[in-house]
Each structure stands twice: as structure tokens, then as C-alpha cells.
Amino acid sequence: MLKSVAVVLLDDFAVFEFGVVCEVFGYDRTDDGVPLLDFRVCGERPGEPLSLGHGVKMTPELGLEATEDADLVVVPACDVRDEYPPAVLEALRAASARGATLLSVCTGAFVLGAAGLLDERRCTNHWRHSAGFRKRFPRAQLDPDVLFVDDGDIITSAGTAAGIDACLHLVRRELGSAAATAIARRMVVAPQREGGQRQFVEVPIPECTSDSLQPVLTWMLDTIDREHPVVDLARRAQMSERTFARKFVAETGTTPHRWLSTQRVLHARSLLEETTMSVDEVARRCGFGSGALLRHHFHKVVGVSPQDYRRTFAPSPQRTSVRA
């Protein structure tokens, strides 16, 4: 059973992610039936202030020895840098070697990676750092689409609020669903969210590398609700089907069918955010033809259903704030 938690802070750590860890593990909620944890905040040099940015500093009272017998060692997000303090990396390696659970929030995964703890391990990180993370830690098995990854004794989370999901998941795993639900209720958050990071990612539009196909691409977007057989597109581009298909892939990096499907999903996202159209009407406006087809392609690209996406992102003027 989880009894002790040590949080390792580095310079320029993220205050929100640190606050999430404090909120989940650091408060006395025994009145809600949640076991009290031995919660420690430590740094490489105890008593020395660490920067949070924005002109604010925080001073950890404990040194890295606080990690030596902790059941859980947490690394909140901090600025990504070329090198991390060797003493911190060694403390993390020692904690892992003796069987402690390690948890990182957002860019904290870079610290675990620098310690060599993510080689051949499943993990995640904020989607914006995926390319840099893969380049730096090619042996890590990164999944950029999920909110968190539980790989046994190492748990990694995506950005910011996904840290809440990972922390509550760990509480559920170690202390039970009742404890996780009680903490979530006090935090006024969902005990478990659906979906993954893909619903928050801006899907890039494949760009054309030259002007030769740009008029055709523009026409496809202007008439996105219509069918666009390759034979018609090739005729409009004044090319043979074979030449058009080859040139399309060369200039956009994908096929006409996939390019158009992605644009339709992007258009559907906008309509779900900005209108109250039914899913079937959104499907018709985007050229999918049916709500079922829209749901299939939308989930494939975004990772959640159109209804779930709308509930998350569409503004609702009817909603009013309620004092908790």
C-alpha cells in the first residue's frame, strides 16, 4: 500500500503540475476516508530557493535523502534542458532499483529519460514535445495520444491536467476506487476522463510544396461536402490519374483520399465547436454522408466521439457559474 510520497523539484519547475501532486497526495483527507500519506518535498540543495519563473521562488526543506525510502517518487514538469543534475538522476535510479514507483507529470518524463529509466518502457509526454522526446530518447516507447501510461513501476502523464488523471489513477490502483473518488470530489474533477491527447492536438493540414496543385486543393476545400473521385480531380488538374496520384503524394505527403478525410474531420471539429448542428447534419456538411461514417473517421483522427468532443470544447451560453 502507498504510504509515503517524495516530490523532487528542479529549477524552473511548473507550479500547476507541482500543485496537482500536492493536491492529490499532500492533503489530510482522513475525514473522507483517505489514508494520510507521508508527503515530502525535496531538492538537490535543501534550503536553497528554486525558481518557478514569473519572479517567484520556492524553497524545499528536504534534500534528496527524502527519496531513499519513499514508496512513490514524483517528478513534476520543469523546463526541458540539455542536462539535469547528476545527483537527481542518481536518486531516481536508486529509487527505481529498490522497487519504488516513479511518476512524472508532463515534461518530468525528460528527467526520467535522462536517468535512463524509460529505455524499452512505455511512456507518454505532452504532445508538443513528442518529436524532441523521440529524438532524445529513441529507445523509449512513446505513445503521444494518451493522457497517461501505467507501465507498472513507472507512470508518465501528458501535459498539465493529464497529471490529475495519472495521480488519481495511481491512487485508485494503490488505495482503491473509494479513495480516488473522494479526492476527485474534493478537487471537483472527474475521477476518470475519457479519450486521450489527440482531442487537444491541432491536426496539421498537409501543405502543398508547390503551386501546381494548390488550385485543386482549394477547390476541394470549397466543395468539401461533395464526392471527389480521383478521376475528376485529375481532370481538373489536367493530368492523368496516375500522374495526379503520384504528384499529390509527392507534394502533400499523403493520398487524395486521406487528405480529404483529414480536412473533413477538421471542418467537423469547427462545426462541433461553433454550431448546434446535429451530428448527422455536421456529417452532411463535411461530406461524410452519414453520422456513422463521421463517427468512424472522427474517432480515428481525434480519439473521441463527436459528441464527447462537443461536450468538451463547445461553448455553452446556458451554463452559469455555481459557487462550490
Side-chain angles (χ1 to χ4, degrees), residues 113-182:
L117 297 174
L118 296 181
D119 291 350
E120 315 303 334
R121 300 294 296 265
R122 295 172 52 248
C123 60
T124 192
N125 203 333
H126 194 291
W127 59 268
R128 292 191 65 181
H129 296 284
S130 295
F133 188 89
R134 281 198 177 100
K135 183 176 181 180
R136 186 165 177 180
F137 308 112
R139 295 176 60 190
Q141 299 175 9
L142 181 71
D143 184 346
D145 292 336
V146 297
L147 296 175
F148 64 87
V149 170
D150 181 343
D151 198 40
D153 58 345
I154 294 182
I155 297 176
T156 51
S157 80
T160 312
I164 300 175
D165 301 294
C167 290
L168 290 176
H169 167 78
L170 181 60
V171 170
R172 186 180 301 106
R173 190 185 83 176
E174 299 295 327
L175 303 177
S177 296
T181 301

Side-chain angles (χ1 to χ4, degrees), residues 224-282:
I224 200 167
D225 59 332
R226 304 182 195 173
E227 292 295 322
H228 290 299
V230 173
V231 61
D232 293 347
L233 298 174
R235 187 181 300 115
R236 177 170 285 271
Q238 298 181 343
M239 301 176 187
S240 68
E241 289 184 52
R242 192 169 182 177
T243 299
F244 175 81
R246 184 173 63 251
K247 197 170 187 63
F248 198 99
V249 173
E251 295 193 10
T252 68
T254 188
T255 66
H257 174 74
R258 289 177 181 170
W259 189 90
L260 186 58
S261 292
T262 300
Q263 306 318 305
R264 285 172 168 163
V265 168
L266 292 174
H267 189 42
R269 279 174 40 149
S270 297
L271 293 178
L272 290 167
E273 292 174 12
E274 300 167 5
T275 76
T276 59
M277 294 178 187
S278 68
V279 171
D280 286 338
E281 178 63 13
V282 169

